[in-house]
Amino acid sequence: MNKKKILTTYRTLVIELEELQTQLRRVGSDGRPSGIHTSQLDSTRGTNDPGAAAMQLAEGLEEFIQRKQETIQQLQPQVDELLRGIKDFRKYMVIQRYYVLARTDDQIARAMSISRARVNQLRLEYLETA
């Protein structure tokens, strides 16, 4: 896998993991959506138990999170090696924040006090080098 594919895959996994964790926080510790009164769920009639369905949702999210974390851990050594190879500190900061921390160009530009175009340029320069 080339460095662009490694970094892009890693970034995608980080974004997906953050979203799954957000969804899991929304369902609460009992698997029910937060902000919903339990009486609303308990009074529902049907063939499926709402409590059981809520717990299945929470368990499914936990399983997805576990898989994403395992894949991130497998890619981590390759990402670390790529980062160690970057000699330019600004380029390192851009690559690390964009791919590892999954920040946007705007967020990186504000944090580093440079333009968004410069952030994009530094990232593309790195990806084009062999």
Side-chain angles (χ1 to χ4, degrees):
M1 215 183 318
N2 66 22
K3 66 182 168 185
K4 182 177 182 178
K5 181 73 173 164
I6 292 168
L7 292 170
T8 303
T9 301
Y10 192 90
R11 183 175 199 270
T12 301
L13 288 166
V14 169
I15 292 169
E16 290 171 351
L17 179 61
E18 288 174 0
E19 181 57 34
L20 288 168
Q21 289 170 333
T22 299
Q23 288 178 25
L24 184 60
R25 280 191 299 274
R26 286 186 189 142
V27 298
S29 60
D30 63 354
R32 297 170 189 248
S34 60
I36 303 268
H37 295 83
T38 56
S39 61
Q40 290 174 325
L41 292 173
D42 291 337
S43 65
T44 306
R45 299 284 183 236
T47 56
N48 292 330
D49 175 32
M55 288 305 293
Q56 283 180 329
L57 173 61
E59 289 170 1
L61 288 171
E62 289 171 350
E63 185 180 326
F64 281 142
I65 288 170
Q66 177 76 24
R67 279 193 253 149
K68 296 290 180 197
Q69 288 172 332
E70 289 170 1
T71 308
I72 286 172
Q73 287 175 351
Q74 291 171 356
L75 280 176
Q76 190 68 52
Q78 294 172 320
V79 171
D80 289 344
E81 184 179 332
L82 290 173
L83 290 174
R84 278 192 299 273
I86 302 172
K87 303 302 180 210
D88 179 348
F89 183 70
R90 278 185 145 187
K91 204 173 283 187
Y92 172 87
M93 292 301 295
V94 167
I95 299 302
Q96 191 261 354
R97 289 178 179 186
Y98 187 82
Y99 291 105
V100 178
L101 301 178
R103 301 293 187 258
T104 64
D105 285 348
D106 286 332
Q107 291 170 324
I108 297 167
R110 279 194 305 273
M112 294 179 64
S113 300
I114 58 177
S115 71
R116 187 174 65 70
R118 182 66 179 141
V119 169
N120 194 11
Q121 181 184 34
L122 288 167
R123 192 174 69 250
L124 292 177
E125 282 175 8
Y126 172 73
L127 293 176
E128 289 173 358
T129 60

